[in-house]
Amino acid sequence: MGKSTELLRGTLDLMLLKTLELGPRHGISVAERIRQTTAGTFDVSPGSLFPALHRLEQNGFIRGSWTQSAEGRRVKAYTLTPQGRRQLAVEKREWARIALAMAQVLES
Amino acid sequence: MRPLARLGSLWRGIVQRSRMDAELDEELDGYFEELVARKLAAGASPDEARRAARREMGGVQQLKQAVRESWLVSSWDAVLQDVRQAWRGLRSTPGMSMLAVVTFALGIGSATAILGVVRATLFAPLPYRDPSRLLLVWADLTAAGHPRAPLSGPELHDLGHRTSSFESVAGVWANSITLSHHGEPEFVRIGFVTASFFPLLGVQPAAGRLFAQADDVDGQSTSILLSFGLWQRRFGGDPGIVGRAITVNDRPTIVLGVLPAGFRLLLPHDAGVPDSIEAFQPFPWRIAEGPRGQRFLRVVARTKPGVGLVEARQDVDRMAAQLSREFPNPGGTAFKTVGLEADITKPLRGPLFVVTASVALLLVISAVNVLGVLIARAAARRREIAVRVALGAGLSRILRLSLAEGLTLAALGAAVGVVVARAGLSLLLALQPEALRRLGEVTLDWRVLAWTSGLALAWGALFALAPLREYARGGVATALAAARGEARRMRPRARSALVIAQVALTLVLLTGAGLLARTFARILAIDPGFRAASVLSFRVPSATPRYPTPAARDALARTLRTALGALPSVTSVGATSHLPYDTIPNWGGPYSLVEATDEALPSADYRSVGPGLLETAGVELLSGRFFTDADGPQAEPVAIVDELLARKAWPGASPLGQRLRVDPFSSGSPNTWVRVVGVVRHVRHRSLVEALNEQVYFPLSQAFRNPVAYLVRTTGDPAALAPAVRAAVRGVDPTLPIYETQPLASNLERARGVERFTMILVGVFAGMALVLAAIGVYGVIAYLVVERRREFGVRLALGATRRQIGVLVLLEGAKLVGIGAALGLLGAIAAGQLIRAQLFGVGPADALAYGAPLPVLVGAALVACLWPVRCATAASVLDVLRAE
């Protein structure tokens, strides 16, 4: 992790849901995608990635299924469920509210 | 997430751990391999790549643990969330939900209490070692009217020596002793037992030792075993008592040991071995050498391992055939071998079946109320649900909600039900039916609670499914149409069917209760041949070392009678060997009119009674005379016989002055001639519902028995007489213990105990069912009225009278009750056949029992309709406008 920023649990969930919005991904590809899109600000370690993925799966927001990776490995890929899509919308709104509020606090 | 999937994930989270763990391993391994592959691609050496990847993965065990926690936590969270939502839903209609919970609690609580009783009385193993191997052996004297007679000493000996099926055999005979050690003399119920008795049952002493074979052969009762209760009560639990001498019947007797606290002697009721036995002694004579015809031993046997009842029975029958050849006697020798457990529970199975069946009906009726409430809620929420569906909730979401609600209701009901069951059980214990003597051991143990939980779960699932139909037909279009008030009126068809079922089942219960009440009334109306009211009974010893001779004993009896008769309000007094419905063994023997015969002799119940007894008991004299003080030890031996014996022995002739050969001293053969001086009406002293054996009464001073019971007839309350009676006896002899002082009527009540118990329980269940059914009717009719309020308004506007509207509503109620009652009548007829064995003097098609519940049911339904009718007739044109 080093230079990367510590994540709030809710924030990680939001990022994971958002990452899966465009299509199914398996563990390492989720982590890489987050690292890429945040230009390395968030480097999600397996230690936080997997508990979060499983928690989201238990809640029915994402669904894991075993498929072949591009390299031909058997991997567990996660897909956003309709419920997860709704959850993503809710959390996005929530985040926007918080971000706005934070900005107001910091600029005042 | 679908509710089933959610339950599934919970299931997996708990149970399918290993598979999930394996999958997690594979997932993490895959991650690791890909990490390595990426490092390699970036130009690292294989070693470096693996090291770097491992570093990046961090602590794998810790990681796995974190994931596992997420499995469990989120599943539980989900369940809790569902339950919370269900709870909110139920709270939104508090009245309805409370009603559902309370009615279900009544049903499942009653069922739990009865399950507890059934388990303790029918299914709990007897508290002895390996009880399934315990048998009872009875002498089969069916020809003489005793299909289950005791065995004689020699027969018990033969049973132990001439058979190969038994590990051990033992005999017991109930009696009583005077314990005059420390303080007041006290009469104590005692069991004479063979040394094999306690080892056979598997009883270990709490202190000291049990009887040994040597104590038996000794043939003298110089040792005693105390029950735990007697040890505590009389000796303050003194551990030093073992090995010390106490005074029994004025003789020093060594306390060998103390029986364990939980020991109870559970033999069938007709064995005449009461639970209340508080001490045990070896037989005071060598029983194996006694007369072969002197039968008094209740025999318990333990089969060898692997020997079944059938084998043991054949073995005993083989021995009986041998004995018949060796000791020819007119009736032959036959035995009945039965399993102890089955024999004890046999008389209870019928009544408990009836009670269990009624409580099952009650449970169904109560649960149907819950179903009705849930369906009504579903109907009321159809619009809300439709909107949810339209917003994408999916039927699965609704199923989940419904499941959570159903199970939550069932769980709440069951929780309250356990409280109901506890209260119910204490009420049951207050009824104290003698035959259900093991009721004291009833506890709601984990098995019973597991049953209750299972029942609640099953009903909960049904509760969850019930509203689905309502939801399913509430498509968006329908719901929106309903919202616009355009939909055709929806009849609560499902609820109506449920209420009809409730009414039908209630009628079945009411009819059953009616039949049992009629049975009980018939039993109450039976003339037992004696007048129990206003009579107090108590026991005293009639022979102690202070009264060694027959003359001294007679003098004591006379003094006691005079002292008791002198009490104010006492009108007559008498002494007897046996009370009606006594707990001491029955006493009987053969009788004959001729000197010798080859035929099997008939047998009669024997009773020894003092002067004044039959008068005090209110036994009717048909001819001749009662006993007087003149029938003393030196006078001519006389007897009074009952009408049955008179008719059998001297049909068409007067028995007065005739001679009868009997065996009042239990010698084994009838070798005493007595002259008949009187004939009395038959007394039902052992069974209320049938006339059993013929009866012979001897004067107490000619056929002495110890102890005796006194009957004192009073003009006042017999219970209030007890202190005066005690004082009077003490005035005659302060060392005489007096015990079992109680109104004679309580014996009669005990005899009716099981019928009373069954009737009260089924009656209570029927009453509860009636209330629940009325609630059900109310629910449906009230719902209909709300639905049709607009229509009623229109009708009123068009000129209908309020009366007509009221009749309309009542007709709806009448329809439900009518169909329900018709179905219920069919069910009641079937139920009447089923419980035929529990009925007495009432046909299973008793007109009153079938007719009476109908007006009760209709009345209850009418009351249930009152409020809805008021609401309906209060409808007005304004309602129409408001609805628009």
Side-chain angles (χ1 to χ4, degrees):
Chain A
M1 288 227 236
K3 63 182 184 334
S4 62
T5 310
E6 196 67 56
L7 283 166
L8 291 168
R9 178 174 147 174
T11 327
L12 176 58
D13 286 0
L14 175 55
M15 277 198 298
L16 292 178
L17 291 175
K18 176 68 193 165
T19 309
L20 292 173
E21 192 184 13
L22 295 177
R25 279 171 191 278
H26 62 285
I28 198 161
S29 114
V30 171
E32 275 172 351
R33 168 81 190 166
I34 291 179
R35 193 161 50 236
Q36 280 163 18
T37 47
T38 63
T41 308
F42 292 128
D43 188 356
V44 186
S45 76
S48 18
L49 176 68
F50 283 103
L53 283 175
H54 281 255
R55 192 171 57 241
L56 291 174
E57 187 183 14
Q58 291 292 324
N59 282 329
F61 299 145
I62 61 176
R63 188 163 46 239
S65 53
W66 290 92
T67 54
Q68 298 278 322
S69 74
E71 293 89 9
R73 257 193 213 92
R74 205 170 107 83
V75 293
K76 193 175 176 189
Y78 293 93
T79 318
L80 203 58
T81 63
Q83 205 185 339
R85 217 166 279 280
R86 280 196 295 277
Q87 181 69 14
L88 175 58
V90 170
E91 288 196 19
K92 261 172 157 172
R93 259 200 315 279
E94 193 67 6
W95 178 254
R97 233 163 46 83
I98 291 173
L100 182 66
M102 279 306 282
Q104 282 166 345
V105 170
L106 295 178
E107 283 162 17
S108 62
Chain B
M1 195 180 189
R2 293 189 311 277
L4 287 179
R6 165 93 32 145
L7 276 181
S9 88
L10 179 59
W11 172 253
R12 277 195 302 279
I14 296 164
V15 179
Q16 295 194 334
R17 277 304 272 278
S18 59
R19 221 195 74 208
M20 290 183 76
D21 274 340
E23 282 193 4
L24 179 60
D25 281 346
E26 193 179 350
E27 191 179 6
L28 294 180
D29 283 350
Y31 187 96
F32 181 75
E33 291 304 329
E34 287 206 41
L35 216 50
V36 173
R38 277 167 175 64
K39 306 277 178 209
L40 285 174
S45 73
D47 266 6
E48 270 174 11
R50 297 197 84 81
R51 242 195 323 274
R54 210 165 288 136
R55 209 167 36 239
E56 221 168 284
M57 284 289 282
V60 175
Q61 286 312 319
Q62 233 170 324
L63 165 57
K64 280 193 204 166
Q65 192 51 42
V67 172
R68 278 194 210 107
E69 272 165 23
S70 84
W71 293 342
L72 263 186
V73 169
S74 60
S75 323
W76 278 119
D77 273 355
V79 169
L80 284 178
Q81 190 195 334
D82 282 352
V83 169
R84 263 198 300 273
Q85 189 162 7
W87 175 246
R88 269 201 304 276
L90 295 175
R91 288 232 339 233
S92 68
T93 51
M96 264 182 159
S97 305
M98 276 268 271
L99 187 70
V101 167
V102 168
T103 53
F104 187 59
L106 283 178
I108 204 162
S110 312
T112 302
I114 296 304
L115 269 175
V117 170
V118 168
R119 211 197 86 74
T121 37
L122 294 191
F123 295 113
L126 289 174
Y128 307 128
R129 175 170 61 87
D130 210 352
S132 61
R133 281 165 53 204
L134 294 176
L135 306 180
L136 286 172
V137 182
W138 301 90
D140 184 354
L141 308 181
T142 306
H146 288 291
R148 283 153 66 95
L151 267 60
S152 67
E155 283 170 341
L156 174 63
H157 184 261
D158 292 338
L159 196 65
H161 290 81
R162 295 197 189 198
T163 58
S164 55
S165 307
F166 301 117
E167 193 176 277
S168 165
V169 296
V172 55
W173 183 47
N175 213 303
S176 40
I177 52 165
T178 305
L179 201 67
S180 46
H181 192 77
H182 293 329
E184 274 200 28
E186 179 183 1
F187 233 81
V188 171
R189 290 286 176 90
I190 191 171
F192 288 120
V193 294
T194 55
S196 52
F197 190 74
F198 291 110
L200 182 146
L201 295 179
V203 174
Q204 296 293 327
R209 68 167 175 93
L210 300 171
F211 299 126
Q213 208 62 45
D215 298 308
D216 241 4
V217 176
D218 184 29
Q220 286 184 17
S221 288
T222 53
S223 53
I224 191 166
L225 281 175
L226 306 179
S227 76
F228 197 86
L230 180 64
W231 179 49
Q232 292 291 325
R233 179 166 62 75
R234 188 71 203 225
F235 302 99
D238 173 14
I241 194 75
V242 174
R244 283 223 309 265
I246 61 172
T247 313
V248 172
N249 288 344
D250 288 284
R251 277 213 317 233
T253 304
I254 304 288
V255 177
L256 280 190
V258 177
L259 292 169
F263 174 74
R264 293 184 66 193
L265 197 48
L266 297 167
L267 292 181
H269 198 68
D270 59 351
V273 181
D275 287 9
S276 49
I277 284 184
E278 289 195 292
F280 294 88
Q281 285 197 289
F283 283 95
W285 72 94
R286 293 171 201 273
I287 54 170
E289 293 160 18
R292 193 158 275 277
Q294 198 177 63
R295 297 197 166 86
F296 58 98
L297 289 166
R298 275 65 183 182
V299 171
V300 191
R302 174 178 290 281
T303 55
K304 287 178 181 158
V307 175
L309 176 61
V310 177
E311 256 177 289
R313 198 173 274 161
Q314 285 166 353
D315 199 9
V316 173
D317 290 347
R318 206 162 28 240
M319 179 193 78
Q322 268 180 32
L323 294 180
S324 294
R325 279 194 300 278
E326 287 173 42
F327 308 97
N329 78 64
T333 306
F335 299 102
K336 247 190 204 138
T337 314
V338 293
L340 176 62
E341 282 188 313
D343 208 55
I344 291 178
T345 57
K346 207 162 93 190
L348 294 177
R349 267 178 243 151
L352 282 182
F353 165 75
V354 171
V355 171
T356 308
S358 333
V359 90
L361 287 184
L362 180 67
L363 177 58
V364 172
I365 292 170
S366 77
V368 165
N369 253 358
V370 181
L371 286 176
V373 166
L374 283 170
I375 290 176
R377 278 168 49 83
R381 284 166 63 187
R382 210 178 297 137
R383 240 172 81 198
E384 173 206 335
I385 299 292
V387 171
R388 277 178 185 236
V389 171
L391 293 180
L395 202 63
S396 60
R397 177 77 187 78
I398 290 156
L399 179 64
R400 183 175 132 198
L401 184 72
S402 161
L403 196 65
E405 271 195 14
L407 289 177
T408 305
L409 255 184
L412 284 175
V416 180
V418 170
V419 178
V420 171
R422 280 188 182 286
L425 266 185
S426 34
L427 285 177
L428 272 182
L429 290 175
L431 282 178
Q432 287 259 346
E434 182 83 353
L436 296 177
R437 50 197 170 156
R438 292 177 73 191
L439 216 51
E441 295 159 27
V442 175
T443 48
L444 296 180
D445 64 0
W446 63 269
R447 291 184 203 84
V448 175
L449 292 180
W451 257 99
T452 306
S453 314
L455 273 176
L457 198 67
W459 279 111
L462 255 181
F463 294 164
L465 295 177
L468 285 184
R469 217 175 70 102
E470 246 6 90
Y471 290 150
R473 73 178 186 191
V476 179
T478 335
L480 296 181
R484 286 196 308 270
E486 287 167 2
R488 64 185 192 288
R489 205 182 69 229
M490 283 213 193
R491 303 194 118 267
R493 223 180 287 269
R495 287 192 76 194
S496 299
L498 289 175
V499 169
I500 287 171
Q502 272 188 320
V503 169
L505 293 177
T506 302
L507 190 68
V508 172
L509 262 181
L510 282 174
T511 311
L515 285 170
L516 293 170
R518 295 265 290 154
T519 293
F520 191 65
R522 286 289 164 93
I523 288 177
L524 274 183
I526 288 171
D527 177 6
F530 64 96
R531 312 271 159 271
S534 307
V535 173
L536 183 74
S537 72
F538 64 91
R539 263 182 232 280
V540 287
S542 48
T544 70
R546 294 181 58 154
Y547 308 96
T549 63
R553 296 194 302 243
D554 255 21
L556 171 67
R558 249 194 297 274
T559 323
L560 272 176
R561 229 175 93 219
T562 314
L564 292 166
L567 291 174
S569 89
V570 168
T571 53
S572 69
V573 180
T576 174
S577 58
H578 291 70
L579 294 169
Y581 307 102
D582 218 333
T583 51
I584 66 174
N586 185 42
W587 175 40
Y591 69 89
S592 170
L593 305 184
V594 291
E595 194 64 60
T597 172
D598 285 340
E599 283 171 43
L601 293 179
S603 78
D605 289 347
Y606 292 169
R607 296 293 182 262
S608 274
V609 299
L613 184 277
L614 293 170
E615 297 92 313
T616 308
V619 179
E620 189 188 345
L621 183 69
L622 297 177
S623 63
R625 64 169 175 88
F626 285 129
F627 295 136
T628 67
D629 280 326
D631 299 311
Q634 311 305 326
E636 182 195 23
V638 292
I640 292 174
V641 299
D642 75 333
E643 50 185 330
L644 294 186
L645 193 146
R647 268 204 299 276
K648 266 194 190 170
W650 299 281
S654 167
L656 297 181
Q658 301 284 352
R659 294 206 321 149
L660 190 66
R661 196 157 64 91
V662 286
D663 182 23
F665 307 108
S666 301
S667 64
S669 65
N671 44 23
T672 304
W673 283 101
V674 294
R675 189 172 299 283
V676 177
V677 295
V679 179
V680 291
R681 192 165 300 292
H682 178 77
V683 173
R684 294 197 171 180
H685 58 193
R686 284 197 291 136
S687 164
L688 270 172
V689 295
E690 55 183 336
L692 293 172
N693 271 8
E694 301 91 291
Q695 292 157 350
V696 181
Y697 298 90
F698 307 113
L700 198 50
S701 45
Q702 292 181 355
F704 174 71
R705 304 290 288 186
N706 182 37
V708 291
Y710 274 86
L711 295 187
V712 183
R713 183 169 286 278
T714 164
T715 52
D717 173 17
L721 191 64
V725 161
R726 235 175 253 123
V729 174
R730 211 173 294 129
V732 171
D733 180 351
T735 71
L736 272 185
I738 159 170
Y739 64 110
E740 291 176 7
T741 312
Q742 55 185 12
L744 186 59
S746 65
N747 276 23
L748 207 54
E749 270 160 34
R750 195 168 56 214
R752 299 189 280 246
V754 173
E755 285 83 4
R756 185 165 148 263
F757 177 79
T758 319
M759 177 197 69
I760 291 181
L761 280 190
V762 176
V764 167
F765 294 156
M768 287 161 76
L770 187 65
V771 174
L772 296 184
I775 292 173
V777 171
Y778 166 80
V780 169
I781 300 299
Y783 175 78
L784 266 179
V785 167
V786 171
E787 287 269 298
R788 292 173 67 180
R789 213 175 151 82
R790 214 175 126 247
E791 175 203 328
F792 292 148
V794 171
R795 280 175 190 261
L796 281 172
L798 295 180
T801 63
R802 294 189 185 279
R803 197 189 163 83
Q804 281 169 325
I805 301 290
V807 169
L808 255 175
V809 175
L810 277 181
L811 274 179
E812 292 287 349
K815 227 184 289 174
L816 295 179
V817 175
I819 301 174
L823 291 175
L825 208 57
L826 293 178
I829 289 169
Q833 292 297 326
L834 264 179
I835 64 169
R836 208 170 26 198
Q838 308 310 318
L839 302 181
F840 166 76
V842 189
D846 187 77
L848 188 59
Y850 281 88
L854 267 179
V856 175
L857 198 60
V858 170
L862 207 64
V863 170
C865 287
L866 278 183
W867 184 249
V869 166
R870 253 189 71 110
C871 288
T873 52
S876 71
V877 186
L878 277 177
D879 289 317
V880 187
L881 298 175
R882 221 176 276 131
E884 297 298 331

